[in-house]
Amino acid sequence: MKTKIAIPSAAPGGLEAPLEAHFGHCDLYTLVEVENDQIQNVEVVPNIPHEQGGCMAPVQYLADKQVQKLVAGGMGMRPLMGFNQMGIEVFYGEQAPTVGSAVDALISGRLRQFTQNHTCGGGSGGCH
């Protein structure tokens, strides 16, 4: 079964790119398709702008791209609930240095589910 994973990334994206801390304010997303624990495809897509309170726009954007999992370092409670409602599983990035290392950690089961305990006030307020 194929799984599409989104990882908020710094430019230029790809497996060697550093992770961006906050999903809604990243430059872009690296989308990684995994099948049988093997990376099958890597695609880089730009993030969409969203205004304060418009944090659901990136949630819908990733849902429209058939993303099933997201690795994030920070987000507010509202988008986390939105991802949950869309059926997109969110995992805490655990300080992974690159997109590739985050994907490896997710595949091997080393990332924790992103919970309310990981949420922040949204934007850059208190997020790491």
Side-chain angles (χ1 to χ4, degrees), residues 53-128:
C55 53
M56 294 308 288
V59 173
Q60 185 63 54
Y61 176 67
L62 292 175
D64 290 345
K65 297 213 171 280
Q66 288 84 45
V67 167
Q68 295 148 301
K69 297 183 182 196
L70 173 80
V71 176
M75 76 174 60
M77 188 63 190
R78 187 165 176 244
L80 179 60
M81 289 173 23
F83 281 118
N84 290 337
Q85 290 169 350
M86 293 284 193
I88 298 172
E89 292 182 275
V90 182
F91 293 86
Y92 186 58
E94 306 285 353
Q95 309 296 321
T98 65
V99 169
S101 64
V103 171
D104 288 342
L106 182 61
I107 288 171
S108 66
R110 295 192 317 265
L111 296 186
R112 295 177 286 164
Q113 195 91 26
F114 202 102
T115 67
Q116 185 174 346
N117 294 339
H118 299 114
T119 61
C120 61
S124 58
C127 281
H128 303 288

